[in-house]
Amino acid sequence: MMSRNSMYTNPKPCKHLADYKLRHGLSGYNLLQEQIRTTPSGKSSVKNHQTEIPRCCFCNGYQKRLYLCLICSSISCSSHTLLHSQCENGHDIAVDIERSELYCVLCCDQVYDPDFDKIVMLKHLMDLPRSGNGVDVSAGRRSSKRRRLCSALELDLKKTKQLVSMRDLRAKSCYPLGLRGLNNLGSTCFMNSVLQALLHAPPFRNYFLTGQRNHEVCRKRSSDRLCLLCDIYVFFSAVFSGDRTPYSPAQLLYSWWQHSANLASYEQQDAHEFFISMLDGIHENGVKARSPIKDTGECHCVAHRVFSGQLRSDVTCMSCGYTSTTYDPFMDISLNLDTGNCPSTDLANKSLKPSDNTYVSTLLGCLDLFTKPEKLGSDQKFFCENCQERQDSVKQMSIKRLPLVLCLHIKRFEHFPVRRMSRKIDRYMQFPFCLDMNPYLSSSVVRNRFGNRMFAFEGDELDTSTEFEIFAVVTHSGTLDSGHYVTYLHLKDQWYKCDDAWITAVEEEVVRASQCYMLFYAQKMLYYKANEDLVCQPVSPRADPFLPIAGCC
Amino acid sequence: MSAKRSSINRPPTPDVDRDRENQEPTLQEIINIKMIESGEKERLKELLRERLIECGWRDEMKSLCRAYTRKKGRNNVTVDDLVHVITPKGRASVPDPVKAELLQRIRSFLASTAT
């Protein structure tokens, strides 16, 4: 079973490989399997005797690439493979000894055969201490995948038909729905900026606008206590009401203060911290209101359904190759800026990459950095279950499951507790409007560890899309102590700058040049659906089309 | 494969009157053999790989390969082509500190196995 992902469709075998397969099938591969050895770092080589040095049978050389004939096991160097094929008819397919990769002598090129790769992989896995190592070659379907899809659809498709039916198709030239300035209530731009982003996170928005949050029967409200979810609901209704005068989210601010008492002040707060604490508040309020779900470990509150994903962390022992894998949920991913610095060239003046001044940080660079294998320092030696002692190890992160809405946080605030100093990193970072998260998925990352192999991987999420579209950017300007947050929203192919109470349409270059702090991406399908519904309506102060109609839920 | 190893399919025997067989192994060969036998060569290769990845050399080679492939067209390039094109550039661009470190390791290896 092969992944439908276009990056991994099998190249067609050359004529010679096809002939070889017809004649010999898998027998050559199977006989070779015994001789394959894999290092802890994942490199597979063919070694028939531990100490014998393989040499070319024509020139006795051992310095070049050596190829082992699959039919007669004779070894030739890259200069003499053709000679061997000429001497022996049909001996066209060989294996690169050092890399365990197939080579066609007549095509003078590397060739690929999933059957071969499977055999190499199996041997590798068999040799690893305690099989598993996070890789299961069998393809199993999990029912939780279905549940997630259903959850996404529920939040999106079913109820938005209501919105669509209420469109006024005549209105074309006014601003889209849900665009409303937010008054600054005293250094609350950190809150306003995040709220603007939340207002337009497709599944989040739909949840609150389509009456899934039934605030009529909220128990807390009826007993006159504060309910964060109800306050958010009221907030959404107000912003999407069509009234364009700037709104003061005072009730919401007060509600949030109740929840995060430690952050309740008129000081400027960190927008990211606000975002996390807001989601946390929604989760706590949501969980109490619902009956406990079956033990799936997945929370069904709107915050989790929209934003939560799962990270995978692999720690590999450098001595024996044993890998310990853990999974952790996440609501957002915090990324360090990639600066293009590399350790070994710091010492010398010569370096391959141009100096820091001209290297541009990019989001993809940051994501690469996030999923790069990281050598753990000698003070962080990992206790290897297999070796039964502390060993040097390598850690690698990857994304096991993507959320519907991906929030990426760029770590621009550096804190030095020892020196009791904090500073902001102003470095510009380039970010794309369309993001394909496929290379950062666990399935891709783990697959890369095994080199150039073609095989189906347990984690291949065939039906989940990895393509995301940006819909909001929260930017920060100024210093750590006195700065300002502004959000750019991407609605219906137009960018809008939301600076507290002032909303203006801007060109995309402005957004690209901005200093991003938090990036919000939605799964492509959800983003385009959401934008279909956002046709503007004329201002009607009294009419509120988005209150739930009684009886319809 | 042992079933197919009949005398008919054996690779041709090297010429008996070739001098190479009777020559004494060169110093370089002796060192190389010693390094392989002790496993040091493999360790040095791993170290080299690590350093070249860290300093961005491998990424540099990757982008050279990509550029070449784009120019020639994906279906007109073989691995052999790429190896031929990349090798001189690759050899020339290994950073000095990396070379120095490996030389140092080889020197200490030689010192430790000197008999």
Side-chain angles (χ1 to χ4, degrees):
Chain A
M1 191 203 90
M2 291 296 142
S3 167
R4 241 176 276 146
N5 191 319
S6 59
M7 288 219 283
Y8 297 109
T9 47
N10 300 329
K12 266 181 70 180
C14 70
K15 178 171 109 69
H16 316 109
L17 178 63
D19 280 345
Y20 170 83
K21 285 294 286 288
L22 272 174
R23 219 173 294 172
H24 302 275
L26 301 178
S27 56
Y29 301 166
N30 288 331
L31 284 164
L32 192 66
Q33 194 181 38
E34 218 353 77
Q35 299 170 39
I36 294 177
R37 306 263 178 276
T38 310
T39 65
S41 56
K43 189 164 180 241
S44 298
S45 314
V46 178
K47 289 192 164 97
N48 40 13
H49 296 289
Q50 294 292 6
T51 52
E52 193 182 273
I53 303 165
R55 286 170 181 272
C56 173
C57 63
F58 290 99
C59 65
N60 238 11
Y62 55 89
Q63 313 267 36
K64 293 189 165 179
R65 283 196 184 205
L66 295 172
Y67 297 93
L68 179 82
C69 175
L70 270 180
I71 298 175
C72 69
S73 289
S74 77
I75 297 173
S76 335
C77 72
S78 46
S79 316
H80 294 122
T81 47
L82 212 47
L83 194 53
H84 174 70
S85 173
Q86 283 164 355
C87 295
E88 310 286 343
N89 204 9
H91 291 214
D92 307 325
I93 307 295
V95 178
D96 180 328
I97 290 183
E98 214 187 301
R99 293 164 189 78
S100 297
E101 288 171 352
L102 287 180
Y103 181 80
C104 174
V105 174
L106 296 178
C107 298
C108 297
D109 198 9
Q110 191 165 0
V111 288
Y112 303 91
D113 185 356
D115 293 327
F116 179 75
D117 284 340
K118 190 165 170 196
I119 282 171
V120 173
M121 288 300 312
L122 281 173
K123 181 64 167 43
H124 179 189
L125 293 173
M126 282 196 296
D127 285 347
L128 283 171
R130 268 191 231 166
S131 71
N133 257 43
V135 179
D136 181 5
V137 188
S138 67
R141 289 204 162 269
R142 295 167 318 171
S143 58
S144 58
K145 228 188 284 182
R146 261 241 199 112
R147 232 178 287 135
R148 271 201 73 78
L149 260 185
C150 287
S151 166
L153 290 172
E154 180 194 314
L155 282 169
D156 182 57
L157 279 176
K158 271 193 257 167
K159 300 297 172 62
T160 52
K161 301 251 200 282
Q162 283 183 328
L163 282 175
V164 173
S165 62
M166 293 179 210
R167 269 194 305 209
D168 182 353
L169 293 164
R170 285 174 293 142
K172 265 191 234 167
S173 54
C174 50
Y175 288 128
L177 290 169
L179 214 49
R180 192 171 179 186
L182 299 173
N183 286 320
N184 189 316
L185 306 172
S187 302
T188 59
C189 60
F190 69 92
M191 178 178 82
N192 290 342
S193 55
V194 171
L195 289 178
Q196 291 287 10
L198 288 177
L199 280 168
H200 294 277
F204 198 78
R205 181 200 82 176
N206 293 340
Y207 175 82
F208 285 101
L209 288 182
T210 56
Q212 288 178 52
R213 168 71 202 157
N214 203 336
H215 93 136
E216 307 287 318
V217 297
C218 175
R219 268 175 276 144
K220 280 193 181 168
R221 267 301 261 267
S222 50
S223 59
D224 249 356
R225 281 179 297 155
L226 282 174
C227 172
L228 185 62
L229 283 169
C230 287
D231 292 327
I232 297 176
Y233 170 79
V234 167
F235 172 69
F236 264 85
S237 307
V239 173
F240 279 84
S241 66
D243 187 347
R244 301 289 183 185
T245 58
Y247 178 75
S248 295
Q251 178 60 34
L252 191 51
L253 178 65
Y254 182 59
S255 209
W256 174 68
W257 272 348
Q258 295 298 314
H259 174 257
S260 310
N262 59 325
L263 299 171
S265 75
Y266 279 107
E267 281 174 359
Q268 172 78 281
Q269 304 292 343
D270 177 44
H272 177 246
E273 247 187 283
F274 170 75
F275 173 68
I276 295 298
S277 99
M278 189 66 153
L279 291 187
D280 192 52
I282 294 170
H283 167 73
E284 298 219 331
N285 276 264
V287 161
K288 283 180 204 126
R290 280 173 156 268
S291 55
I293 323 124
K294 267 183 291 181
D295 188 67
T296 56
E298 285 177 24
C299 170
H300 282 225
C301 73
V302 63
H304 276 98
R305 274 198 291 170
V306 177
F307 291 98
S308 91
Q310 205 176 42
L311 279 181
R312 171 177 164 149
S313 165
D314 292 313
V315 180
T316 306
C317 169
M318 284 176 81
S319 298
C320 69
Y322 173 76
T323 302
S324 157
T325 304
T326 50
Y327 294 100
D328 288 302
F330 69 87
M331 298 297 263
D332 72 323
I333 303 182
S334 292
L335 299 170
N336 287 305
L337 277 165
D338 72 319
T339 51
N341 270 335
C342 34
S344 58
T345 55
D346 276 349
L347 311 162
N349 291 326
K350 229 198 268 186
S351 66
L352 279 172
K353 287 209 164 80
S355 64
D356 289 0
N357 311 335
T358 55
Y359 179 77
V360 179
S361 300
T362 64
L363 181 65
L364 297 183
C366 294
L367 285 167
D368 282 335
L369 197 60
F370 181 72
T371 53
K372 195 169 120 152
E374 182 198 334
K375 250 184 96 171
L376 296 179
S378 44
D379 52 331
Q380 296 165 286
K381 278 193 190 205
F382 160 73
F383 182 81
C384 174
E385 291 289 325
N386 187 54
C387 303
Q388 287 294 312
E389 57 175 302
R390 292 196 171 278
Q391 300 281 21
D392 281 325
S393 46
V394 173
K395 178 170 124 164
Q396 190 172 31
M397 304 294 298
S398 54
I399 301 177
K400 175 86 176 103
R401 195 189 64 215
L402 289 164
L404 297 179
V405 175
L406 182 63
C407 171
L408 298 172
H409 166 235
I410 313 300
K411 289 155 110 178
R412 290 191 178 277
F413 299 114
E414 267 191 320
H415 301 284
F416 303 98
V418 176
R419 281 185 264 170
R420 261 190 262 157
M421 173 192 114
S422 303
R423 70 174 182 125
K424 183 192 169 200
I425 307 171
D426 273 310
R427 194 187 176 97
Y428 171 72
M429 190 195 84
Q430 193 197 69
F431 58 94
F433 289 174
C434 303
L435 178 63
D436 186 354
M437 289 297 285
N438 190 60
Y440 314 105
L441 288 182
S442 299
S443 49
S444 307
V445 165
V446 176
R447 177 188 268 116
N448 279 337
R449 259 185 232 153
F450 297 101
N452 239 350
R453 307 288 165 197
M454 324 237 128
F455 65 102
F457 176 67
E458 169 228 325
D460 276 341
E461 299 270 336
L462 299 180
D463 17 10
T464 312
S465 163
T466 58
E467 290 178 52
F468 285 79
E469 288 280 331
I470 198 168
F471 65 91
V473 181
V474 172
T475 65
H476 183 268
S477 52
T479 63
L480 198 128
D481 298 319
S482 62
H484 186 54
Y485 289 101
V486 163
T487 299
Y488 291 97
L489 292 176
H490 191 205
L491 304 173
K492 289 185 79 60
D493 268 347
Q494 175 66 50
W495 281 96
Y496 297 94
K497 175 178 176 181
C498 306
D499 185 348
D500 285 332
W502 294 271
I503 300 195
T504 44
V506 292
E507 293 299 312
E508 70 171 50
E509 285 76 35
V510 172
V511 184
R512 287 197 195 275
S514 65
Q515 193 190 84
C516 59
Y517 180 56
M518 289 172 79
L519 297 166
F520 290 85
Y521 290 89
Q523 285 201 4
K524 198 158 154 182
M525 167 192 82
L526 295 173
Y527 173 79
Y528 283 112
K529 260 230 144 291
N531 270 267
E532 275 167 25
D533 308 328
L534 272 185
V535 177
C536 33
Q537 283 213 356
V539 175
S540 52
R542 252 170 292 124
D544 193 342
F546 301 111
L547 277 179
I549 299 166
C552 131
C553 218
Chain B
M1 256 180 266
S2 50
K4 292 197 197 297
R5 257 199 187 285
S6 61
S7 55
I8 306 167
N9 285 335
R10 251 221 184 109
T13 328
D15 288 338
V16 190
D17 38 279
R18 278 201 343 213
D19 281 336
R20 280 191 86 100
E21 293 293 297
N22 304 329
Q23 263 179 1
E24 285 296 310
T26 64
L27 184 61
Q28 191 186 23
E29 286 182 352
I30 297 174
I31 294 174
N32 191 48
I33 291 167
K34 271 210 180 307
M35 288 208 334
I36 296 176
E37 283 176 355
S38 64
E40 181 69 7
K41 185 152 194 208
E42 199 54 50
R43 283 191 286 273
L44 286 178
K45 270 190 167 174
E46 278 298 321
L47 177 66
L48 178 60
R49 216 166 269 132
E50 204 181 297
R51 292 286 179 261
L52 289 177
I53 292 172
E54 264 169 23
C55 71
W57 179 93
R58 191 178 75 167
D59 293 329
E60 181 84 8
M61 293 301 118
K62 262 190 178 173
S63 52
L64 284 175
C65 288
R66 268 194 211 112
Y68 181 81
T69 308
R70 235 173 260 142
K71 201 169 66 168
K72 282 290 169 90
R74 197 156 62 125
N75 295 326
N76 304 334
V77 172
T78 67
V79 172
D80 281 3
D81 283 346
L82 287 173
V83 170
H84 276 117
V85 168
I86 293 300
T87 302
K89 297 186 193 175
R91 281 194 206 275
S93 60
V94 176
D96 286 345
V98 176
K99 285 188 197 164
E101 186 179 354
L102 278 156
L103 277 171
Q104 183 54 40
R105 281 286 292 260
I106 295 173
R107 262 188 220 112
S108 17
F109 170 77
L110 290 175
S112 68
T113 59
T115 45

